[in-house]
Amino acid sequence: MENEYIIEMLNITKEFPGIKANDNVTLQLKKGEIHALLGENGAGKSTLMSILFGLYQPTSGVIKKNGKEVKINNPNDANDLNIGMVHQHFKLVECFSVLDNIILGIEPTKGLLLSKKGAREKVMELSDRYGLKVEPDALISDISVGMQQRTEILKMLYRDNEILIFDEPTAVLTPQEIEELMKIMKNLAKEGKSILFITHKLNEIMAVADRCSILRKGKYIGTVDIKDTTKEELSRMMVGRDVNFTVDKKTATPGETVLKVENMTVPSKMHSNNAVKNVSFNVRAGEIVCIAGIDGNGQTELVHALTGLEKMTTGKITFHGKDITKATIREKSRSGMSHIPEDRHKHGMVLDYTLEQNMVLQRYWEKEFQNKGFIKNKAVREYANKLIEQYDVRSGQGATTIARSMSGGNQQKAIIAREIDKNPDLLVAVQPTRGLDVGAIEYIHKQLVAQRDKGKAVLLISLELDEVMDVSDRILVMYEGELVGQLDPKQITVEELGLYMAGAKKEEVPAEI
């Protein structure tokens, strides 16, 4: 009788220094199913999938394919077994084209020469069949995150992989790209591909998965059929308690203007047009203003200009009535501005530093942490331990853990802890819950509302429509570098917000409130 399971991971245990990432976990994948793997940040999901892809070796346990035990010592072994993986942080060569990345490692040759003609035809045929629209000659450095992900998927399909692992595939995508990806995954499953899908997002699991296995703190909790469960039940299994999906907050009572932006224009690095075009707005004490929009409409450049990462062509930034347009990043930080950046690896952390060093990155020169130029290591560790406990940052070796070795979600929690604990007058939070589980999202939303209720100004930039609607007191919609609407979340629908985001509706946005 043919084995029901195409892949079985039986009693897998994986230990790292100071932490058991997987503790006797069993996972069974049926042929042609979409199987979701759900768990909190640091629950061991990526570790388990990295074992299946040959990036790690299990401390104990066995892996079977079609009922036969297999050894997967490296990703080449995984590829030989037709197992492919799209990683949370893509493994692409930025200066290569899409086509070159897809064929990298198995380049077709004619004699001694590279022969791309057949490869290009196969890539375009796969692209058409699965609805994966890519531009084969575009450089990876020039394309959107969504197209980079489609490149990763085509890499797997080009190698004829039949078991496809998606690690947090929607963490960096826009709502429209997420919808597109869900369709692609369903098409792949219809074609007989078997998909393992790591995610925190319960809506996506309910929409696309057949079954879901849950991990909590490295242990296997159970597997459920999606048709027989609810979002609430899944979150309870994942976090071990009931999670509140609505944001509890009283009506805002804004005070004086903290941040005022006038006629900001920022050039684009991608094309000759400006990324931000003559934008004016303000943020007052005691309110959360959210800039909403589809990714790539100037939000990143606006935040970079605001925080000092990029220069503006024209415009003026006033903070508490003082002109800070030309202030340095450190001057802005010291004057009371905190920034939770969009890219936690590029702008949020020094990945090869320890967690405690990252926690004081913007404060190490303060008297609390240094004496005559020498760092007070004991004070730094005590401070880091306080934040680790307060924000439930999970790491194998506590404050001395190297940041690179932590899960993406726990890196994010560490950045949020550092930025909020500076007690800023203005908190600029860009995608603060990206890659976080429902329990952590609930906690971060409470922190944002608590900042507001303390009389702080919060500027939130989010692509998550639920977050935009639930957390903000005022919504500014950005489209093609301009503000096209100022909306009250209590008086509009998600559909109406979507029309503004797509550029189908527009209104004048007053610079003064």
Side-chain angles (χ1 to χ4, degrees):
M1 186 184 120
E2 194 187 347
N3 197 302
E4 182 187 6
Y5 299 112
I6 191 166
I7 286 288
E8 293 174 273
M9 302 184 76
L10 305 172
N11 310 110
I12 300 289
T13 294
K14 177 63 182 174
E15 294 184 46
F16 294 105
I19 194 163
K20 218 180 232 185
N22 295 137
D23 187 355
N24 195 32
V25 173
T26 290
L27 177 72
Q28 295 169 307
L29 173 69
K30 292 178 182 174
K31 185 166 174 56
E33 79 165 339
I34 299 176
H35 192 120
L37 188 57
L38 179 66
E40 292 179 280
N41 301 117
K45 308 179 298 295
S46 292
T47 301
L48 190 67
M49 290 302 95
S50 293
I51 288 170
L52 181 57
F53 193 58
L55 292 167
Y56 295 143
Q57 301 307 305
T59 310
S60 63
V62 297
I63 299 172
K64 290 183 177 180
K65 185 181 177 201
N66 292 324
K68 290 185 185 133
E69 189 174 334
V70 292
K71 281 268 179 277
I72 307 175
N73 296 314
N74 54 53
N76 287 334
D77 288 350
N79 272 314
D80 291 343
L81 291 163
N82 299 116
I83 298 169
M85 184 168 182
V86 175
H87 300 267
Q88 186 174 0
H89 299 288
F90 304 145
K91 312 282 187 197
L92 297 169
V93 183
E94 296 242 321
C95 58
F96 279 18
S97 71
V98 167
L99 180 63
D100 290 340
N101 270 279
I102 291 169
I103 63 176
L104 190 60
I106 50 167
E107 295 89 344
T109 52
K110 211 173 196 174
L112 292 173
L113 299 173
L114 190 60
S115 171
K116 293 189 193 174
K117 187 167 180 276
R120 178 186 291 273
E121 284 166 7
K122 181 174 176 180
V123 166
M124 295 321 290
E125 188 268 318
L126 287 167
S127 169
D128 290 343
R129 192 193 325 168
Y130 294 108
L132 292 155
K133 301 179 199 76
V134 292
E135 177 50 61
D137 298 313
L139 294 182
I140 294 298
S141 55
D142 293 342
I143 62 176
S144 71
V145 173
M147 196 185 285
Q148 287 180 33
Q149 187 178 65
R150 294 198 282 275
T151 305
E152 285 275 26
I153 297 169
L154 280 166
K155 252 167 74 175
M156 294 195 292
L157 298 176
Y158 184 80
R159 286 159 177 73
D160 301 318
N161 293 145
E162 55 186 14
I163 295 131
L164 312 179
I165 304 165
F166 289 85
D167 186 0
E168 298 283 357
T170 63
V172 292
L173 300 186
T174 65
Q176 287 77 0
E177 286 171 332
I178 290 169
E179 218 169 282
E180 196 63 38
L181 179 66
M182 299 285 137
K183 276 190 214 149
I184 290 163
M185 286 169 74
K186 284 179 176 169
N187 287 342
L188 290 166
K190 266 189 213 141
E191 294 255 339
K193 308 283 185 192
S194 309
I195 295 174
L196 282 161
F197 171 41
I198 304 178
T199 184
H200 296 120
K201 298 181 180 176
L202 301 173
N203 289 341
E204 291 167 12
I205 292 177
M206 299 305 288
V208 84
D210 300 302
R211 292 191 304 148
C212 178
S213 292
I214 296 99
L215 300 184
R216 192 190 318 147
K217 293 184 180 172
K219 288 187 164 64
Y220 172 73
I221 302 298
T223 299
V224 294
D225 277 320
I226 294 304
K227 61 180 190 305
D228 301 330
T229 192
T230 61
K231 262 186 5 178
E232 288 70 22
E233 180 59 32
L234 287 175
S235 69
R236 202 174 300 121
M237 289 176 79
M238 172 168 79
V239 185
R241 61 177 176 83
D242 287 330
V243 175
N244 185 2
F245 287 100
T246 57
V247 179
D248 292 326
K249 64 182 178 54
K250 55 181 191 282
T251 305
T253 51
E256 63 178 48
T257 297
V258 173
L259 174 75
K260 187 175 181 185
V261 174
E262 298 169 87
N263 310 113
M264 178 192 279
T265 297
V266 185
S268 170
K269 288 181 175 173
M270 295 284 284
H271 44 71
S272 57
N273 295 339
N274 288 319
V276 180
K277 302 165 187 167
N278 199 33
V279 162
S280 300
F281 66 93
N282 62 30
V283 188
R284 296 167 297 179
E287 73 169 344
I288 299 173
V289 174
C290 179
I291 294 182
I294 297 166
D295 199 18
N297 276 276
Q299 305 95 311
T300 300
E301 291 84 355
L302 183 146
V303 170
H304 284 185
L306 186 61
T307 54
L309 287 167
E310 276 182 37
K311 286 192 164 54
M312 310 186 309
T313 315
T314 61
K316 183 178 175 187
I317 303 169
T318 313
F319 187 58
H320 281 310
K322 184 183 168 197
D323 186 347
I324 60 160
T325 311
K326 293 190 173 152
T328 64
I329 295 173
R330 183 181 283 196
E331 283 165 352
K332 287 177 179 179
S333 175
R334 292 180 82 161
S335 65
M337 184 188 291
S338 272
H339 175 207
I340 298 165
E342 179 177 12
D343 188 331
R344 53 180 168 245
H345 284 180
K346 200 184 271 186
H347 298 125
M349 288 189 139
V350 180
L351 291 172
D352 292 317
Y353 278 15
T354 60
L355 181 52
E356 63 188 3
Q357 287 168 329
N358 274 288
M359 289 298 203
V360 294
L361 267 184
Q362 297 184 2
R363 299 183 60 184
Y364 63 85
W365 57 80
E366 293 177 9
K367 276 190 178 160
E368 186 186 341
F369 302 119
Q370 62 87 23
N371 182 25
K372 295 177 182 166
F374 290 94
I375 299 287
K376 297 180 184 173
N377 290 318
K378 186 164 176 264
V380 169
R381 182 152 306 169
E382 281 170 3
Y383 176 70
N385 284 333
K386 180 192 88 169
L387 293 189
I388 287 166
E389 188 177 337
Q390 198 179 329
Y391 285 79
D392 189 27
V393 181
R394 295 180 193 174
S395 52
Q397 293 159 291
T400 60
T401 306
I402 299 297
R404 188 182 295 284
S405 69
M406 294 162 56
S407 75
N410 281 297
Q411 291 171 352
Q412 185 76 355
K413 284 200 264 188
I415 293 166
I416 288 167
R418 177 186 74 206
E419 296 303 322
I420 289 181
D421 199 70
K422 280 164 59 188
N423 194 28
D425 291 338
L426 171 69
L427 176 63
V428 181
V430 189
Q431 313 276 36
T433 58
R434 173 179 278 177
L436 297 186
D437 59 67
V438 285
I441 289 171
E442 177 191 41
Y443 181 75
I444 298 309
H445 285 168
K446 277 184 185 161
Q447 294 301 313
L448 294 177
V449 172
Q451 287 297 301
R452 180 201 79 164
D453 291 347
K454 276 203 246 167
K456 310 294 186 180
V458 179
L459 180 63
L460 171 68
I461 288 83
S462 178
L463 301 176
E464 301 282 346
L465 292 185
D466 290 346
E467 183 167 77
V468 172
M469 295 294 281
D470 291 348
V471 179
S472 55
D473 300 309
R474 189 156 55 90
I475 302 169
L476 300 172
V477 185
M478 206 160 177
Y479 177 72
E480 292 189 345
E482 298 178 359
L483 293 182
V484 295
Q486 177 171 274
L487 311 168
D488 182 342
K490 292 196 203 75
Q491 293 176 359
I492 59 154
T493 61
V494 171
E495 290 71 25
E496 197 177 346
L497 175 58
L499 290 174
Y500 279 95
M501 286 168 64
K505 282 188 91 169
K506 189 174 180 177
E507 66 174 39
E508 280 296 313
V509 178
E512 293 294 330
I513 305 298

